[in-house]
């Protein structure tokens, strides 16, 4: 089995998986003749294009992507091969190193379609980090590898925030209760970053969170507050609190904008109180007194 064969099997898996940790693992295979990945057969190239098109439709970015005239490159194929060869982490990492930057939106979509569902099944942290760094959309929507943070932020600012579909995607994804502390810290930082120039979008995210995911967010807040009993576990509470930082600061500076939103009820105050409690504890060096 060649690297192209392995990549094709993973591409097919990417079109059928639901992207959860409980889903079947990606196929595994050999990485022989890796040079053939640079010039794949026409039908393989067409499969990568089809994957990108389906991903645009699934994320409802089709109108945004329709304006992209640059073609899909071979990056997604290389990433698929690396995922399939993950049992040989060193060789798989070398394959990821050969991935060119995602220059077109089609590249961005194709990379995400391969990397996002595969990450729960990649056990080697270094390889997982390289895969994240090669997929800016995965980094943006989940959390990036530190190397890929700037690419994720650039994608947000230059592409997604310039189109209604991109803004809607950010609202839809970011309003969910964070799935991990790292994700909460990343999303909280970006929301706070956007607070100055994209205030309405940030409020949209919090309003959607309180309308669609109230119970999940309140459960995270309750667990965080329980952990702040003496002695306080700031490391556990901080990510949840940081997710609410932008809203807590808007509540101080633009409370009238929050009151104008019918979907923002009193539930948001639990998040604001948690953020301020963590803020006070941090100022005291972690001491509750």
């Amino acid at each position: 089995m060649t690297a192209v064969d392995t990549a094709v099997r993973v591409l097919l898996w990417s079109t059928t998986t639901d992207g959860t940790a409980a889903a079947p693992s990606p196929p595994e295979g050999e990485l022989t003749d890796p040079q053939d990945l640079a010039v794949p057969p026409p039908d393989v190239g067409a499969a990568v294009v089809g994957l990108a098109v389906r991903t645009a439709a699934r994320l409802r970015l089709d109108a945004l992507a329709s304006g992209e005239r640059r073609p899909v490159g071979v990056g997604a194929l290389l990433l698929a091969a690396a995922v399939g060869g993950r049992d040989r982490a060193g060789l798989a990492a070398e394959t990821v190193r050969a991935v060119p930057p995602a220059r077109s939106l089609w590249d961005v979509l194709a990379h995400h379609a391969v990397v996002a569902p595969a990450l729960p099944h990649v056990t080697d942290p270094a390889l997982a980090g390289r895969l994240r760094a090669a997929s800016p959309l995965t980094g943006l929507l989940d959390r990036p590898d530190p190397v890929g943070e700037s690419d994720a932020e650039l994608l947000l600012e230059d592409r997604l925030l310039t189109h209604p579909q991109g803004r809607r995607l950010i609202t839809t994804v970011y309003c969910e209760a964070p799935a991990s502390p790292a994700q909460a810290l990343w999303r909280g930082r970006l929301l706070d970053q956007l607070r100055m120039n994209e205030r309405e979008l940030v409020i949209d995210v919090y309003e959607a969170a309180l309308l669609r995911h109230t119970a999940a967010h309140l459960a995270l807040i309750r667990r965080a507050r329980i952990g702040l009993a003496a002695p306080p576990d700031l490391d556990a509470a901080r990510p949840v609190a940081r997710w609410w930082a932008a809203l807590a600061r808007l509540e101080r500076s633009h409370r009238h904008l929050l009151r104008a939103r019918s979907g923002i009820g009193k539930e948001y105050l639990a998040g604001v109180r948690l953020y301020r409690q963590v803020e006070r504890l941090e100022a005291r060096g972690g001491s509750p007194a």
Side-chain angles (χ1 to χ4, degrees):
M1 179 181 291
T2 67
V4 171
D5 295 327
T6 299
V8 169
R9 293 179 64 206
V10 172
L11 287 176
L12 179 61
W13 173 85
S14 298
T15 67
T16 58
T17 184
D18 63 6
T20 65
S25 298
E28 296 186 52
E30 300 296 325
L31 291 176
T32 57
D33 300 324
Q35 69 279 358
D36 293 343
L37 293 166
V39 188
D43 59 328
V44 176
V48 177
V49 172
L51 182 62
V53 170
R54 283 189 292 274
T55 304
R58 178 173 58 83
L59 296 179
R60 299 184 180 180
L61 293 177
D62 48 331
L64 173 58
S66 66
E68 178 62 79
R69 298 293 176 242
R70 291 170 293 182
V72 182
V74 298
L77 193 63
L78 289 160
L79 291 168
V83 168
R86 62 192 179 279
D87 63 329
R88 299 180 64 185
L91 188 55
E94 288 296 325
T95 305
V96 178
R97 283 193 193 96
V99 174
R103 301 197 182 281
S104 76
L105 188 56
W106 292 121
D107 278 335
V108 166
L109 291 163
H111 289 199
H112 178 67
V114 172
V115 171
L119 281 173
H121 308 279
V122 177
T123 57
D124 181 76
L127 178 58
R130 289 188 180 279
L131 290 168
R132 285 183 186 277
S135 181
L137 184 56
T138 305
L140 177 62
L141 298 183
D142 178 14
R143 63 172 180 85
D145 182 80
V147 173
E149 283 188 7
S150 59
D151 287 339
E153 292 178 4
L154 194 63
L155 173 65
L156 175 66
E157 294 167 8
D158 286 2
R159 302 306 300 268
L160 297 187
L161 293 183
T162 64
H163 194 281
Q165 284 193 331
R167 299 172 73 87
R168 191 179 306 120
L169 176 64
I170 293 301
T171 301
T172 301
V173 173
Y174 272 48
C175 75
E176 297 173 354
S180 68
Q183 189 182 89
L185 288 169
W186 164 248
R187 291 183 180 177
R189 179 168 79 77
L190 267 193
L191 287 170
D192 200 38
Q193 220 170 272
L194 293 170
R195 176 174 51 92
M196 301 304 293
N197 297 322
E198 293 287 350
R199 190 173 297 129
E200 291 299 320
L201 175 64
V202 171
I203 296 175
D204 285 346
V205 170
Y206 286 113
E207 183 176 31
L210 292 163
L211 286 171
R212 304 174 195 170
H213 306 287
T214 311
H217 280 289
L218 291 179
L220 288 178
I221 292 169
R222 281 194 297 272
R223 285 198 290 272
R225 296 200 70 173
I226 290 170
L228 289 178
D233 186 354
L234 274 175
D235 287 340
R238 186 178 290 112
V240 182
R242 288 286 185 270
W243 191 88
W244 292 94
L247 187 64
R249 289 165 180 162
L250 286 170
E251 204 266 344
R252 281 176 176 153
S253 61
H254 293 80
R255 189 175 301 172
H256 64 286
L257 295 180
L258 306 186
R259 289 178 175 173
R261 296 295 188 101
S262 60
I264 297 185
K266 293 182 179 179
E267 293 87 355
Y268 85 93
L269 292 172
V272 170
R273 292 190 193 105
L274 173 67
Y275 171 74
R276 291 178 180 164
Q277 183 180 4
V278 169
E279 194 178 40
R280 287 194 299 270
L281 286 169
E282 288 178 332
R284 296 169 186 160
S287 171

